[in-house]
Amino acid sequence: MCRQTAKTLDEKFANKQFVLTGTLSAFTRDEAKAQIEARGGRVMSSVSKKTDYVVSGEEAGSKLDKAQELGLPVLDEAAFKKMIG
């Protein structure tokens, strides 16, 4: 019999690296980080070619610029909310 754990792995998040940048209106950074980690993702502090997604809020700065330079997927807050369901 399979026991359900507190962590629910979501294939969109499992083993993926996220970077948060800018101000999110619906989440604090800690709340957004908790949402990502609860689904099996990791939140990193800086953007690199290993970053899978950048979640961009208002007044995003150099992290967004670097993500765009590297051609990384950038999620606005609405896309992030849709992704977490």
Side-chain angles (χ1 to χ4, degrees):
M1 190 157 136
C2 182
R3 282 182 53 185
Q4 185 138 3
T5 63
K7 237 183 194 183
T8 304
L9 285 181
D10 181 325
E11 64 188 41
K12 296 174 286 199
F13 289 83
N15 302 313
K16 302 287 188 204
Q17 293 186 13
F18 289 75
V19 173
L20 304 171
T21 186
T23 304
L24 302 174
S25 62
F27 304 94
T28 65
R29 290 254 178 140
D30 287 340
E31 289 169 340
K33 181 178 179 181
Q35 291 288 332
I36 292 165
E37 290 176 346
R39 290 164 173 79
R42 295 187 315 163
V43 177
M44 311 307 288
S45 60
S46 61
V47 175
S48 75
K49 62 184 179 182
K50 294 181 182 180
T51 303
D52 294 293
Y53 296 100
V54 174
V55 179
S56 176
E58 294 295 317
E59 299 181 26
S62 60
K63 290 179 186 178
L64 176 60
D65 295 339
K66 183 156 187 182
Q68 291 170 333
E69 283 174 26
L70 295 173
L72 301 173
V74 176
L75 304 172
D76 63 13
E77 190 166 0
F80 176 65
K81 286 165 74 173
K82 185 175 180 180
M83 189 176 185
I84 63 173

